[in-house]
Amino acid sequence: MTVTMGTVLWEPPVDVRQTSRIGDYLAWLARERGLSFAGYPALWDWSVTDLGGFWSSIWDYFGVVAHDPPTAVLGDTMMPGTRWFPGATLNYAENVLRMPGIGDDEPVVLAYSQSREPITLTARQLREQVRRVRAGLKARGVGKGDRVAAYAPNIPETYVLMLATASLGAIFSSCAPEFGSRSVIDRWSQIEPKVLVAVDGYKYGDKAVDRRAEVAAITAALPSLEHVITIPYLGIEGDFSDLSGEDALTFEPVPFDHPLYVLYSSGTTGLPKPIVHGHGGILLEHLKILALHHDLGPSDRFFWFTTTGWMMWNYLASGPAVGAAIVLFDGNPGWPSLDALWDLIDTAGITYFGTSAPFLMACRKAGLTPRKRLKGLGSTGAPLPVEGFAWVYEAVGTDLQLLSLSGGTDVCTGFVGGAPLLPVRAGMISGRSLGARVEAFDPSGKPVVGELGELVISAPMPSMPVGFWNDPDGSRYREAYFDVFPGVWRHGDWITIAEDGSCVITGRSDATLNRGGVRLGTSEFYSVVESLPEIADSLVVHLDAADDPNGELLLFVVPAEGVEVDDALRARIARELRGSLSPRHVPDAIFSVRAVPRTLSAKKLEVPVKRILTGTPIESAAATGALANPESLTAFAELAEVRRSTPG
């Protein structure tokens, strides 16, 4: 079968309404609300038109546990500032730990690691661990509104800590231990945590990585810390078991928009933005997308390859709220070979396998044919090309539903993706998520169909951020999303939406770096590189590569006067980046340039340089009239030509 853009690779079975959770939801809407829909497009249209009707149906259908009922679904729909479910009090952790359909002695967390033996927690054991850690935090003075930080990988302790923190009404924030101390300090100095829980180190493949020096540096830089607790993950040292107590497991009732956790933007411009997500918004969004879009429920084992520094960890963490057990993995996904994660499907009994598009493309290039029985396969992190879709159906399985989704840390979900009612077409995202009014806007702010436009969300979603930390007047929040189209969320992607709602995303309109699930922004990169006396200026770009999950990271440096960019300096730059940020952010190549292109307001032009390096002519890539030094772009165009003409 020849697969081209739009080729149908999977279609919903004829009995999909009888066998899927979204089918059950449709039957519930007809029975309880008198609402009938011919198909997904009509359901989506209702979900983004009658926001109150849709989101109240999600609340009722899933039986959200609340302490005080809401007085309304939402008041004003103006963005930003929409207030959802005023008057309601609830707790995210209480709703997750309800674990509907999972028996007390059934597994709910299955954890695999390259640092230690596997761990399985039953529902009863998970609740007991959350109870103990909650009691330990409470004994150390942690209460509503306090911040608890985790410098820890995707392991049960981190998950338990998040739920225990949430149960108290305290606020959680995690960084993966691959992050260097500078990146962590940039994030946590903004939120001033009271407690830090950190690993002593970890293994990546067969390599042990000691993180005690980084933990010491982080601790020294955060005067707000009152307690530092260590998980002996490498077996060196630790007192995590002392985080315990006898208090019963109870849940602090908090308002719908009470902060649950703080995630961070990539830090493309300035410090990473501390994005505050609320208990109720995250709960409702994840109930909706995990059950109705991914079709997860009791008997499912849900896996997504992620670190604790990526929003997909928070996404995975909500699995038990819809009755799905979750599978955690910590380590190198390519060690000892790319088969490692595919083998985990059999070991852990995974029914839904989530990963990134670059990982799938790397498996394709390696010639893997895993042949697995899966209900669904999720792909995110980058657009999945046609050949990636084809490989999944040729090499993994013909019956699974491939769900390519896109969203962001900002909403902690996918706002375009798939659903059991929609076919899978090669190279395309099946549709827009329920409750997400995603549109493509032309430069004048008018919606376009069948044409490339700016991805916007033109109606509020409950999981839009409560705000940014320490942004009392909301100015940073407004500037981040609402500065281009007033009252409309501009996300920073280019998207084409077809008449039937299917869509294609052609890339970011910002300059985020994303390698192997560790996301860092360019400003963090520059703070390391430009601290070296030999470097006067720098610019970094990340190019996606179809055959490499890490893509290609290129660094351009302007040497200080009299300095030559030789192999010794390149090695020093690599060492500094490895130590301060992460090993995955060592550039693939470092080039010397005479100048970094900047706007008249002195902003670096990462995105235009990226476009030039991928073949866009200078005149199409940048508005040279707005540049302080337009001649600086010539060097990048010349490099692009050399790269095109050089084999391999």
Side-chain angles (χ1 to χ4, degrees), residues 183-214:
S183 296
V184 177
I185 293 162
D186 282 350
R187 285 159 171 75
W188 288 343
S189 60
Q190 299 183 69
I191 65 167
E192 300 177 300
K194 178 182 277 192
V195 173
L196 168 63
V197 177
V199 289
D200 54 353
Y202 60 93
K203 278 188 180 175
Y204 194 72
D206 58 355
K207 181 185 176 188
V209 183
D210 189 328
R211 297 313 262 173
R212 288 176 295 175
E214 284 72 18

Side-chain angles (χ1 to χ4, degrees), residues 597-602 605 608 618-633:
R598 293 180 179 269
T599 65
L600 293 170
S601 58
L605 273 70
I618 288 177
E619 57 273 19
S620 302
T624 53
L627 303 192
N629 52 353
E631 69 284 354
S632 62
L633 294 174

Side-chain angles (χ1 to χ4, degrees), residues 27 33-34 39 46 71 183 209 212 228 273 320 392 429 452 611:
R33 300 289 172 90
W46 168 72
T71 56
S183 296
V209 183
R212 288 176 295 175
V228 178
K273 293 187 286 289
V392 166
I429 293 172
L452 188 67
R611 290 176 183 155

Side-chain angles (χ1 to χ4, degrees), residues 149-163:
Y151 187 58
N154 184 15
I155 57 177
E157 291 92 332
T158 317
Y159 185 53
V160 166
L161 182 68
M162 186 271 284
L163 293 173

Side-chain angles (χ1 to χ4, degrees), residues 329-605:
F329 174 82
D330 176 50
N332 181 349
W335 184 86
S337 71
L338 282 170
D339 290 305
L341 292 185
W342 298 109
D343 291 343
L344 192 61
I345 292 172
D346 300 321
T347 304
I350 292 166
T351 61
Y352 199 104
F353 182 89
T355 185
S356 69
F359 176 79
L360 294 175
M361 294 304 291
C363 292
R364 173 183 176 270
K365 187 186 180 195
L368 267 59
T369 53
R371 306 272 185 240
K372 299 295 178 184
R373 286 191 61 80
L374 288 168
K375 167 182 178 171
L377 191 153
S379 170
T380 192
L384 184 65
V386 168
E387 53 269 31
F389 278 77
W391 178 81
V392 166
Y393 282 97
E394 290 163 4
V396 183
T398 55
D399 296 331
L400 62 83
Q401 183 182 10
L402 171 58
L403 196 148
S404 175
L405 74 156
S406 182
T409 302
D410 326 75
V411 287
C412 201
T413 191
F415 41 62
V416 292
L421 303 177
L422 294 172
V424 175
R425 294 187 174 96
M428 304 180 76
I429 293 172
S430 299
R432 294 169 281 188
S433 300
L434 295 175
R437 193 191 290 168
V438 174
E439 298 184 272
F441 269 18
D442 69 13
S444 67
K446 292 194 173 69
V448 293
V449 176
E451 296 176 29
L452 188 67
E454 279 272 7
L455 190 160
V456 302
I457 307 174
S458 55
M461 294 171 61
S463 69
M464 284 175 172
V466 171
F468 290 167
W469 194 265
N470 200 20
D471 181 28
D473 64 356
S475 57
R476 289 182 70 199
Y477 180 49
R478 286 193 300 275
E479 181 186 349
Y481 309 113
F482 301 100
D483 61 339
V484 175
F485 305 113
V488 173
W489 176 293
R490 172 184 171 270
H491 195 67
D493 282 328
W494 299 113
I495 190 170
T496 304
I497 302 173
E499 285 280 358
D500 65 0
S502 61
C503 44
V504 175
I505 290 180
T506 46
R508 294 289 297 167
S509 51
D510 64 15
T512 300
L513 309 174
N514 184 351
R515 292 181 61 139
V518 177
R519 299 171 68 87
L520 285 177
T522 53
S523 66
E524 296 175 291
F525 219 98
Y526 301 144
S527 68
V528 174
V529 175
E530 292 167 23
S531 68
L532 299 176
E534 297 92 339
I535 304 301
D537 204 354
S538 65
L539 183 140
V540 64
V541 297
H542 178 255
L543 305 181
D544 293 324
D547 57 357
D548 184 352
N550 286 324
E552 189 178 18
L553 196 64
L554 305 180
L555 176 64
F556 301 91
V557 296
V558 179
E561 188 150 350
V563 172
E564 180 187 353
V565 181
D566 55 14
D567 287 345
L569 180 54
R570 288 185 176 94
R572 184 175 173 210
I573 293 169
R575 278 197 308 275
E576 291 291 328
L577 287 167
R578 181 185 299 274
S580 295
L581 298 180
S582 86
R584 302 178 203 187
H585 286 76
V586 174
D588 296 297
I590 301 175
F591 300 92
S592 176
V593 292
R594 294 180 63 183
V596 166
R598 293 180 179 269
T599 65
L600 293 170
S601 58
K603 290 182 180 176
K604 300 183 186 188
L605 273 70

